[in-house]
Amino acid sequence: MTARHGAGPLRRLVVLRHAKSAWPEGVSDHERPLAPRGRRDAPAAGRALAEADCLPDLALCSTAVRARQTWELAAEQWGTPPPVRLDERLYAADVPELLAAVREAPDQVGTLLLIGHNPGLEELVLDLAGDGLDDALDHVRTKFPTSAVAVLAWHGSSWRELAPGTALLTDVAVPRGKKG
């Protein structure tokens, strides 16, 4: 199946898996913070998006602490971060829940950033991508690790039109920060 070229402007869905988290004893999964590596990698993800000219107009972020910290550290790398919507539905979400949240984005949003968790994010990318550039799909099928970024492009007049197999996976990267 190949990506469908529909009517409407080019839109991009940028999918960012939260950075590496810590596993402190006695802390619930939802409250787990970023590990030191995650605190290095999240800013690297923000820089990578800026360097790729892929800054979002709006961000949707899981309410989990590690996802919120990923957002904050990534967004600090940009001059003026876009608005963010914290959405509890994105925590432990499956593809239908993730797609429902994405489809609620306002029509004026051209680039939407989605920050959440696996396995849902990996499954969403594979579900939406009708095709991919180079070996991008193979990379996602093999592994979508913490701090991974996938960029899906498609044409549509509304986010409500985004459907399985309609996007082109244009890029996959796993930005890593350097140890100090």
Side-chain angles (χ1 to χ4, degrees), residues 15 21 33 58 73 155 171:
V15 178
S21 59
L58 174 68
L73 291 168
H155 288 274
D171 196 19

Side-chain angles (χ1 to χ4, degrees), residues 74-118:
E76 284 176 0
Q77 306 304 306
W78 311 328
T80 304
V84 61
R85 292 184 184 171
L86 299 177
D87 190 332
E88 62 188 22
R89 296 174 300 169
L90 302 180
Y91 174 69
D94 59 16
V95 171
E97 292 166 320
L98 292 167
L99 193 52
V102 167
R103 287 177 173 158
E104 292 173 6
D107 292 345
Q108 65 267 26
V109 171
T111 299
L112 179 65
L113 174 62
L114 178 64
I115 304 168
H117 314 268
N118 258 4

Side-chain angles (χ1 to χ4, degrees), residues 2 5 14 16-17 24 26 38 45 48 53 61 68 74 79 82-83 95 104 108 116 118 134 143 149 152 163 171 176:
T2 59
H5 298 285
V14 179
L16 171 59
R17 183 176 173 199
D53 195 25
C61 184
R68 294 191 329 252
V95 171
E104 292 173 6
Q108 65 267 26
N118 258 4
D134 302 321
K143 189 172 184 183
V149 178
L152 295 151
D171 196 19
R176 295 291 187 217

